[in-house]
């Protein structure tokens, strides 16, 4: 007897809204993340807008991170699912409450954790980027008192300052848009490192316990090499690449990882495959893609 699976269900097919955010840049490196709507207000740029602008002679390129979203992120997905399950446990369905309303409430609750982590990461990333330019403006060591820093971030910033003063010889630039063949992206910084020379660095804030970091358990992932590999190719110089990661859990020295040439070559190769898949999915080839 064959097993028959019923396809009938009263459960709504969509209880969670899908996210389709993407960043775009012009071929000369200008951010084009938004376009004006019918009333002149800014709204996110869509692929439909990009196709329309291309007909008008304005070519836009997807960001490195937008392209990389075609690749599955199992660890991130597992973390998001965990937050939803914890939120569902904390916020049970009320008597008479529709499934849609309950799902919406659980979704909002689960996003609160994500938003808190994102807010810390964004604020700390901003601090990191504002500290590096000080190396061009003063000869004495950098200090947290040189810029305004939110009080709760000062303990984290102190460790970043210590790393800058001991490891960074010179900061060439920060937050620069690099344009590649069919893509673009804003790289964090190009520095001269005391031990490795000129390095393209990626600043990150991640939730990890510094005391539990081992050779097999590090807060870096293959997609970091993809991102840096794509930025380096767009930069057009064979510089070293380094991830500088601060723990958002505990104020501590940043975890610094210098990527090997093989890792970067593999990352660049993987990014090219992602770009090809992105083009296939979108049925659109940005300028520069063969």
């Amino acid at each position: 007897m064959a097993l028959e699976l019923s396809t009938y269900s009263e459960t709504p097919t969509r209880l969670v809204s899908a996210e389709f955010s993407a960043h775009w840049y012009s071929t000369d490196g200008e951010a084009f993340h938004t376009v004006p709507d019918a009333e002149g207000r800014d709204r996110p740029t869509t692929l439909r807008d990009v196709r329309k602008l291309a007909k008008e002679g304005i070519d836009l390129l997807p960001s490195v991170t937008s392209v990389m979203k075609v690749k599955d992120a199992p660890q991130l997905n597992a973390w998001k699912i965990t937050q939803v399950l914890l939120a569902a446990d904390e916020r049970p369905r009320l008597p008479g409450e529709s499934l849609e309303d309950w799902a919406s409430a659980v979704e909002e609750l689960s996003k609160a954790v994500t938003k808190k982590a994102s807010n810390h990461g964004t604020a700390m990333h901003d601090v990191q980027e504002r500290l590096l330019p000080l190396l061009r403006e003063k000869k004495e060591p950098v200090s947290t008192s040189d810029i305004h820093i939110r009080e709760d971030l000062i303990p984290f910033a102190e460790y970043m300052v210590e790393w800058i003063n001991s490891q960074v010889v010179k900061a060439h630039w920060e937050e620069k848009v690099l344009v590649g063949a069919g893509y673009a992206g804003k790289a964090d910084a190009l520095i001269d490192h005391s031990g490795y020379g000129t390095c393209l660095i990626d600043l990150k804030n991640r939730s990890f316990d510094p005391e539990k970091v081992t050779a097999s358990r590090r807060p870096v992932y293959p997609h970091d090499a993809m991102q840096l590999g794509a930025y380096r190719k767009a930069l057009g110089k064979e510089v070293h690449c380094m991830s500088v990661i601060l723990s958002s859990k505990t104020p501590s020295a940043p975890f610094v990882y210098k990527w090997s040439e093989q890792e970067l070559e593999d990352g660049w190769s993987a990014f090219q495959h992602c770009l090809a898949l992105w083009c296939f999915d979108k049925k659109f080839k940005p300028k520069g893609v063969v």
Side-chain angles (χ1 to χ4, degrees):
M1 179 178 178
L3 177 64
E4 295 183 2
L5 297 179
S6 173
T7 57
Y8 173 76
S9 174
E10 294 182 354
T11 303
T13 56
R14 288 193 178 182
L15 294 177
V16 180
S17 57
E19 297 179 358
F20 297 102
S21 61
H23 282 169
W24 298 89
Y25 294 93
S26 65
T27 52
D28 59 359
E30 292 296 319
F32 225 106
H33 307 329
T34 61
V35 294
D37 62 15
E39 298 180 2
R41 297 172 299 187
D42 286 342
R43 62 168 177 77
T45 303
T46 66
L47 184 57
R48 183 178 181 180
D49 297 320
V50 175
R51 294 182 192 277
K52 181 179 179 180
L53 289 167
K55 293 179 181 178
E56 299 173 4
I58 302 174
D59 294 302
L60 298 186
L61 307 173
S63 70
V64 170
T65 51
S66 295
V67 169
M68 288 170 54
K69 286 181 180 178
V70 301
K71 180 181 179 295
D72 189 28
Q75 292 175 317
L76 177 60
N77 293 338
W79 184 80
K80 288 182 177 180
I81 292 171
T82 298
Q83 302 314 311
V84 171
L85 292 173
L86 291 173
D89 182 61
E90 182 179 340
R91 168 57 166 89
R93 189 174 175 183
L94 303 176
E97 184 177 30
S98 70
L99 183 59
E100 291 85 352
D101 288 344
W102 175 72
S104 177
V106 169
E107 183 182 9
E108 285 303 309
L109 186 59
S110 69
K111 285 183 176 179
V113 177
T114 306
K115 186 176 181 180
K116 182 179 179 181
S118 176
N119 288 343
H120 174 93
T122 300
M124 195 59 230
H125 197 278
D126 175 65
V127 169
Q128 291 168 294
E129 288 169 352
R130 287 189 290 123
L131 286 169
L132 283 169
L134 298 176
L135 290 172
R136 293 195 295 276
E137 302 167 4
K138 54 185 293 187
K139 294 182 179 179
E140 62 270 20
V142 173
S143 169
T144 52
S145 62
D146 292 329
I147 61 173
H148 174 71
I149 301 176
R150 210 170 70 195
E151 188 174 351
D152 61 306
L153 298 178
I154 291 178
F156 298 89
E158 290 285 1
Y159 282 99
M160 187 65 191
V161 163
E162 184 179 336
W163 181 78
I164 290 174
N165 287 331
S166 63
Q167 302 294 319
V168 183
V169 177
K170 179 181 179 180
H172 294 277
W173 49 254
E174 304 78 28
E175 287 286 285
K176 184 175 181 179
V177 176
L178 303 175
V179 178
Y183 68 93
K186 186 178 289 185
D188 287 335
L190 185 71
I191 67 165
D192 284 345
H193 185 269
S194 59
Y196 300 114
T198 304
C199 292
L200 187 63
I201 65 171
D202 184 39
L203 303 170
K204 290 255 191 308
N205 289 268
R206 286 179 173 152
S207 179
F208 68 95
D209 186 343
E211 294 185 357
K212 294 183 178 179
V213 172
T214 64
S216 60
R217 189 176 182 181
R218 302 173 299 201
V220 289
Y221 306 102
H223 62 257
D224 296 333
M226 290 173 59
Q227 186 175 10
L228 279 166
Y231 286 155
R232 185 173 76 157
K233 197 68 176 181
L235 179 65
K237 297 179 181 179
E238 293 300 308
V239 297
H240 296 294
C241 290
M242 182 182 291
S243 292
V244 181
I245 306 168
L246 282 176
S247 169
S248 58
K249 269 188 175 183
T250 308
S252 57
F255 176 83
V256 180
Y257 187 79
K258 178 185 170 296
W259 295 91
S260 70
E261 284 301 308
Q262 188 61 59
E263 288 172 319
L264 291 169
E265 288 176 13
D266 290 345
W268 166 240
S269 177
F271 178 80
Q272 289 177 286
H273 287 295
C274 283
L275 182 56
L277 181 57
W278 184 94
C279 293
F280 177 80
D281 283 346
K282 306 299 182 184
K283 295 181 175 58
F284 177 78
K285 281 191 176 183
K287 186 174 182 179
V289 174
V290 181

